[in-house]
Amino acid sequence: MTAGDQEVWVDAAAGPLVRPYTVTAGRTRPAVRLDLLSLVVATGRRPREMAPEHAEALACCRAPTSVAEVAAHLRLPVTITKVLLADLLECHAMTTGARRTAADPTDRALLEKLLDGLQRA
């Protein structure tokens, strides 16, 4: 699809047609260990050079936000999101804290209630 002399890499239904690994220059492993519930928050520092995806991640992390939420906001796979967040953590534009859980994730009664709720849905 072209618009004038410029080629447009967007499909109305699919969104931007850029392979996720191009966002991270082919990197698939973050330099920092993060899981889906890790909380990240912007520190206010901004890297000198920043890709649009890094800027968008910083913008959605003004308050502590889980890695899963950032991935959903960016509409990128979690693996790619973790690499982007690790970049921001390494240059001190972002910090991470311990994840917060409301209950013990190994509580058998809680897990049974969760399973029961999922089976009803």
Side-chain angles (χ1 to χ4, degrees):
M1 171 184 290
T2 61
D5 291 342
Q6 295 182 342
E7 194 169 352
V8 179
W9 288 84
V10 177
D11 178 289
L17 299 175
V18 176
R19 300 271 186 221
Y21 61 83
T22 61
V23 172
T24 61
R27 296 173 293 143
T28 58
R29 296 188 187 259
V32 178
R33 186 165 186 229
L34 296 167
D35 63 33
L36 287 175
L37 299 179
S38 296
L39 297 175
V40 291
V41 65
T43 62
R45 294 182 183 176
R46 298 194 55 87
R48 289 184 192 168
E49 294 181 24
M50 185 168 41
E53 293 81 10
H54 287 104
E56 197 173 344
L58 282 174
C60 76
C61 293
R62 292 188 181 111
T65 309
S66 71
V67 170
E69 290 175 280
V70 177
H73 178 77
L74 297 178
R75 298 175 68 182
L76 289 171
V78 173
T79 303
I80 301 302
T81 302
K82 287 180 180 181
V83 172
L84 293 172
L85 294 175
D87 292 346
L88 294 168
L89 287 163
E90 285 186 328
C91 68
H92 305 289
M94 197 171 272
T95 188
T96 186
R99 64 183 181 184
R100 293 183 227 159
T101 56
D104 178 9
T106 62
D107 180 3
R108 183 178 177 95
L110 174 67
L111 293 172
E112 287 175 356
K113 288 178 184 177
L114 177 62
L115 179 61
D116 183 50
L118 289 171
Q119 289 173 339
R120 289 183 194 183

